[in-house]
Structure formats: structure tokens, C-alpha cells
Amino acid sequence: MIVGVAHTALLVRDYEEAKQFYCGKLGFSVIEDTQLPTGKRWVRLRAPGNQGSEILLSRAVDDQQRASIGNQTGGRVLFFLHTDNLDADYKSFRSAGIEFAQEPWNDIYGKAAVFKDLYGNRIDLIQPKARDGASHQEKPVQFERAYSKAPWETEVGYCRAIRAGDHIYVTGTASVAQEGGVFAPGDGHGQAKRCLEIIEKALNSLDCDRTRIVRTRMFVTDIGRWAEFGKAHREFFGENRPATTMVEVCRLIDPAMLIEIEADAVAL
């Protein structure tokens, strides 16, 4: 009996340009690339999640086949790709210059969008609904990192902020000036304000802002100056007050630094 679909052929103009698109932009992997005696190649691609059938790249060899490149289905959808995070893939594909024929929408079967490959073939990107109506997630939570290009990130091995699904965690942030060095030496209020501005910049790079912060942690070198730090915190958040903690520490990495702040956010 038939046990499954092994490969789906994709007519291409050139093996390498097709690999560049499907692997370089969509994240597919090359499972096999074998030179055949006929001069053709046996090139198999597999989706990032390692599910479903593979794509077999088939180079067009005559005018009739070349005329069908990009229109194997007469204008209908060629592939239906499942994702566990359509919003993240949509953002990534847009950044890679991929053209979308239909923007994301919600349907009875889940969330979907339609984009085109390098030849114009239409491809459905679908995040299916689970049976209970919740979003279907089979793979682990996806991670996205933001960097500030500070030298310490490389030396210590960390990122400015990391997004894990809907949760964002911002590294402990000190009052560093734009040109380097400590911002506002001796000024507790000014340093706290600068820390929070840097935090929001990191959040913005991950499509979030201060209104989504749920918790802050303030590490200060002199708890007696709590009112200065607290004033900057209050002014920054206004009515969008997060949970917070303020604790005294013996010192920070630079003696001129009076405060360091961590933040957690939820970006729904």
C-alpha cells in the first residue's frame, strides 16, 4: 500500500538560485544534492520543522517546462506550509524581501497568509488551530534576541534583551552614555531615567514598549537615595505601573554607576 508522499517536484530555472531562496530565506535544509549521469542533479529540500514531504528541485530542460516555471498550478497555491508562529515568520519573510500576495488573516482553520517564491508560485503559510481552538504549537518557543553592540555583550556573552514567545527579558541595564562612559555621574534621578530609556529602546527593537513591562528590578548602591530613583521610575511609567523591587548592592561594575535596572515584559 502507499505509505506517504515522498517528494513534491518544483520546476526551477537554476538549482542554486532556488536553493538560495528556499534555504536562505525560508530556512529549508538541503538533504541531498547529487550529480546525476544525465547532467541533472537530485536536490532534495526539507522544511525547518522536518515535517511533511520534501521538495525536489527539477530544473526545466525545454521551452514547455520553462514556460511553466512559476505557474505549475495555473495560478493556484502550489505549497501549503504550516508554521507554529505565523507573526514571527511573516516579519522575518518581509525583512528578507519576500512578496506577500495576501496579508495575514484569521480563518476557521487558523491564521494564514499567502506569499510568492522567487518564480511567482503562490505559497500558503498557515498557523493551524488546535482542536480546542487554541493556536497549534508543536515546536519549542521561538527566541529572538536584541543587541546594543556594547563590547561587554561579546566579552561576557549576553544580549541586551531576549524574546521567548510572548515574554521579553531585558538584561540588567546601567546608565551608559551614548558616547560611552557613565551618564549623569552623581545624579540618581538622571541615571535611573537613562536606564529606563535604554530598556525601552531594546523593547522597541522587539516590537514592544514600556506599557507592556510587567516587572522591574532596581539594584542601587545607596538605598538612602530611593526617592531619586523612585521618582524617575514613577515618571517613566505613569499609570502603566509594573511590579518592582529595589534592593541595595555593595557596588556596580563602575564606581560611578548608582543604579542598574532589569525589566520583564509581555508582548501579546
Side-chain angles (χ1 to χ4, degrees), residues 43-103:
V43 184
R44 297 160 46 212
L45 308 182
R46 181 178 294 167
N50 293 327
Q51 297 183 20
S53 64
E54 299 171 352
I55 293 177
L56 180 66
L57 302 185
S58 301
R59 183 170 58 85
V61 296
D62 58 35
D63 291 341
Q64 182 178 359
Q65 292 179 9
R66 282 188 283 271
S68 297
I69 294 175
N71 192 30
Q72 287 182 233
T73 58
R76 300 295 297 271
V77 171
L78 176 61
F79 296 131
F80 293 83
L81 304 182
H82 280 189
T83 174
D84 62 1
N85 192 330
L86 187 141
D87 291 334
D89 283 340
Y90 173 78
K91 179 182 176 182
S92 174
F93 292 175
R94 275 289 193 191
S95 297
I98 293 175
E99 177 187 355
F100 275 78
Q102 288 182 247
E103 298 296 305

Side-chain angles (χ1 to χ4, degrees), residues 91-162:
K91 179 182 176 182
S92 174
F93 292 175
R94 275 289 193 191
S95 297
I98 293 175
E99 177 187 355
F100 275 78
Q102 288 182 247
E103 298 296 305
W105 79 92
N106 291 307
D107 215 317
I108 57 173
Y109 51 79
K111 194 169 185 178
V114 181
F115 67 92
K116 295 181 180 181
D117 73 0
L118 71 167
Y119 301 118
N121 291 302
R122 294 168 64 88
I123 300 175
D124 265 18
L125 184 64
I126 302 171
Q127 181 177 343
K129 285 183 179 179
R131 292 182 180 179
D132 62 359
S135 293
H136 181 61
Q137 294 189 357
E138 296 180 350
K139 296 197 307 183
V141 171
Q142 292 193 353
F143 292 86
E144 183 178 0
R145 292 172 173 82
Y147 296 90
S148 66
K149 299 182 180 179
W152 307 296
E153 292 177 350
T154 301
E155 293 179 20
V156 179
Y158 70 93
C159 59
R160 169 55 41 204
I162 183 169

